[in-house]
Amino acid sequence: MSTHLLGIDLGTSAVKAVLSTVDGAVVATAFAEYPIEQPQPEFAEQKPNLWCRAASGAVREVLARAPHAQVAAIGLSGQMHGTVLLDAAHQPLAPAVIWPDRRSVAQVKEITTLVGAERLYAITGSPVATGFQAATVRWFQQHAPELWQQVKMILLPKDYLRYRLTGVFATDPSDAAGALLLDETRRDWSDELLAQLGICRDQLPPVQPSASVSGYLHAEAARALGLPVGIPVATGAADTACSVLGAGVVESDQLLLTISTGGQLVQPCETVRIDPHGRIHTFCSALEPGEGRAGWYQMGAMLAAGMALRWLRQQLFEEPEQIAYDRMMALAAQEAPGAGGLLFLPYLVGERTPYMDPTARGVFFGLTLSHTRASLIRAVVEGVTLAAYNAYSVLRELGAAPQQVVLAGGGARSRFWQQVVADVFGLPVQPLRTVEQSAVGACILAGAALGIHDAAEAARTWVHYGSPTMPDSARHAFYQERLAAFQALYQRNAGYFGG
């Protein structure tokens, strides 16, 4: 029997389980899916019991693939911002409201006005947005007051799974930060915000370090997962914070760019750096601050990255998905930079950084009869990458000075997209080859909770990168000119999007 660490990542569409050795070798992965339910157009909900069922299925499958593994500890990662409301018997009062939910537009405006935008940023490090726990709770207070009166505990998604595994209520600073109820500097719930929003402190779980033991696997959960009773369960972290660990990005000289359905830029920082204009999010990381450790990170978020390319694929190509993507990248690579003057704003579902504009919409600008499918594809890839750089410009303004970009997600698998990122950013690009990085980050935290390793050091040594891609200085200068046109295209049309 060999000792292993188990990472469970409760994602937006699936639970992913990863089994690793204590020195970072991934020996098995598995996943189990569940739907997002939309009972009304602006709603996005999930049934918490389906998370638990999926976790059991994924863990049992991963254990079947490594039958001789002995699990020493479990680490948790999970989708951010969501809300699970429990009654006095610790049963869900309603389906979980998750981050894509947009029912709370009015509550976002109310909270920002009530607290004051600058004060809100100063406390939480971030603007509030629809789907964030603070806004969702406010919506329930106003639209379901009888249900709200029954609420005894408010949990984030991964912390509900923890309760079902251990019977313990707990959270960590990184996930609590995404609730928009945390004092970022103190790394604890903000009494000021709780008082203003009518939330009692005992309705929220205690906040404890990510690399600590929060509880132990109890008998019922052990039977469901096929594991022995009593395995330590680490506090864990939000999926973004775990993905930073899994990507080995724990120093301020690295920038993590993830191009998946959406897109995220993450810049680790050793002190709390808050944008007074609310264009980016500053959240606690999975590392405790001190002694040069990056205890926080700044994040820019794009709502449609790979989603924009998937939309184009669905309109233009009938081949199986992966064949279509490979063909699209090959076609785009044949098109010259700039796509023949074609610009694309990838704001198909609104945009976060830097505009925080839910009304923003996608635009193809400059279409002529000479443009081809290759032009459209290249314009989409460039538009998504320029949107990422637009968010990066805010990070630079606030002091970020990375020396390289670590590229993760589907974009990291395309050599063509790697080159576009290198040229737009003017920085070397290191493609991430670590699979299921959030679940790997959960494994790292599980080992750190047992004292097997230091989380930051394990992140540096566990990560796997592909060959780097270097920028071309002439193309970088060209894309800087395109960036100015890209920004102007949004600014000149912003007033029309809402109508």
Side-chain angles (χ1 to χ4, degrees):
M1 300 283 284
S2 53
T3 300
H4 289 75
L5 302 168
L6 175 62
I8 303 175
D9 175 35
L10 195 163
T12 305
S13 58
V15 165
K16 298 160 190 172
V18 164
L19 198 63
S20 79
T21 63
V22 293
D23 56 0
V26 173
V27 299
T29 65
F31 72 97
E33 296 179 320
Y34 35 76
I36 297 175
E37 298 177 356
Q38 292 187 285
Q40 297 185 41
E42 299 297 317
F43 285 28
E45 300 178 345
Q46 288 176 332
K47 291 184 172 63
N49 67 306
L50 295 185
W51 295 338
C52 301
R53 187 182 305 170
S56 298
V59 170
R60 282 187 171 274
E61 184 175 342
V62 86
L63 293 173
R65 294 176 179 176
H68 301 296
Q70 180 179 359
V71 176
I74 299 170
L76 299 178
S77 166
Q79 53 170 294
M80 297 176 69
H81 313 304
T83 303
V84 183
L85 303 176
L86 302 186
D87 63 16
H90 301 160
Q91 297 298 311
L93 285 159
V97 176
I98 63 172
W99 66 269
D101 189 277
R102 298 183 63 198
R103 75 184 71 180
S104 56
V105 171
Q107 288 70 37
V108 166
K109 294 178 181 177
E110 179 192 359
I111 291 170
T112 304
T113 301
L114 177 66
V115 180
E118 291 186 5
R119 182 58 182 159
L120 184 66
Y121 306 156
I123 296 171
T124 68
S126 171
V128 66
T130 56
F132 282 30
Q133 193 176 88
T136 298
V137 165
R138 195 67 168 171
W139 185 92
F140 274 105
Q141 289 173 338
Q142 296 174 351
H143 290 267
E146 292 182 1
L147 182 150
W148 173 250
Q149 291 301 316
Q150 301 176 62
V151 173
K152 298 300 181 183
M153 182 58 61
I154 307 166
L155 295 177
L156 292 148
K158 86 168 191 319
D159 299 324
Y160 177 76
L161 180 59
R162 174 203 327 286
Y163 168 69
R164 292 289 298 271
L165 295 178
T166 66
V168 171
F169 292 127
T171 192
D172 76 286
S174 71
D175 218 2
L180 260 286
L181 296 169
L182 192 82
D183 185 315
E184 285 277 294
T185 303
R186 294 176 49 247
R187 300 171 83 89
D188 195 8
W189 301 117
S190 166
D191 291 321
E192 178 181 338
L193 290 182
L194 298 187
Q196 288 182 302
L197 298 181
I199 300 171
C200 298
R201 180 176 273 265
D202 63 8
Q203 289 179 299
L204 295 168
V207 182
Q208 54 194 49
S210 293
S212 63
V213 175
S214 62
Y216 299 86
L217 197 64
H218 60 49
E220 181 181 351
R223 284 193 299 272
L225 271 59
L227 286 168
V229 174
I231 294 175
V233 177
T235 307
D239 56 1
T240 300
C242 279
S243 76
V244 171
L245 289 180
V249 178
V250 292
E251 308 288 350
S252 59
D253 63 352
Q254 291 180 302
L255 176 73
L256 175 62
L257 170 59
T258 301
I259 297 175
S260 51
T261 302
Q264 300 86 34
L265 293 98
V266 177
Q267 173 73 47
C269 47
E270 296 172 8
T271 58
V272 182
R273 292 206 304 245
I274 293 172
D275 178 20
H277 304 294
R279 293 165 296 176
I280 58 100
H281 308 280
T282 300
F283 292 138
C284 298
S285 78
L287 303 176
E288 289 296 293
E291 299 181 359
R293 295 168 69 86
W296 294 267
Y297 65 88
Q298 294 176 302
M299 184 182 78
M302 297 87 68
L303 294 179
M307 181 192 298
L309 194 67
R310 183 174 69 235
W311 166 80
L312 191 65
R313 173 185 65 79
Q314 291 169 341
Q315 311 314 312
L316 299 182
F317 294 87
E318 296 181 354
E319 297 99 326
E321 183 173 318
Q322 193 53 56
I323 295 173
Y325 282 130
D326 291 344
R327 186 178 173 204
M328 291 172 76
M329 293 300 97
L331 284 170
Q334 296 170 15
E335 184 82 4
L342 190 59
L343 268 175
F344 176 67
L345 297 186
Y347 306 145
L348 302 179
V349 289
E351 188 56 309
R352 288 269 181 87
T353 309
Y355 303 122
M356 299 296 170
D357 182 1
T359 70
R361 292 297 177 260
V363 174
F364 274 113
F365 179 78
L367 274 169
T368 69
L369 291 173
S370 65
H371 287 114
T372 64
R373 287 195 294 179
S375 308
L376 296 172
I377 299 163
R378 176 134 201 161
V380 167
V381 170
E382 291 182 344
V384 168
T385 309
L386 287 169
Y389 192 92
N390 204 22
Y392 169 61
S393 298
V394 179
L395 298 180
R396 287 184 63 188
E397 180 186 322
L398 297 172
Q403 300 303 302
Q404 68 170 349
V405 176
V406 173
L407 184 61
R413 293 194 289 270
S414 167
R415 189 72 179 182
F416 164 69
W417 209 329
Q418 292 171 32
Q419 189 64 63
V420 172
V421 171
D423 293 340
V424 169
F425 279 75
L427 292 169
V429 169
Q430 197 85 54
L432 184 67
R433 294 292 179 255
T434 299
V435 296
E436 305 298 356
Q437 69 202 70
S438 292
V440 168
C443 288
I444 289 172
L445 292 173
L450 292 188
I452 293 173
H453 53 230
D454 173 76
E457 186 56 35
R460 295 185 189 98
T461 57
W462 283 30
V463 69
H464 298 285
Y465 298 126
S467 300
T469 299
M470 304 305 293
D472 179 279
S473 58
R475 288 197 293 265
H476 177 61
F478 169 78
Y479 280 125
Q480 288 294 292
E481 296 177 0
R482 297 292 283 172
L483 177 68
F486 178 90
Q487 293 169 329
L489 184 60
Y490 169 80
Q491 297 292 350
R492 291 175 183 175
N493 288 279
Y496 299 106
F497 290 136

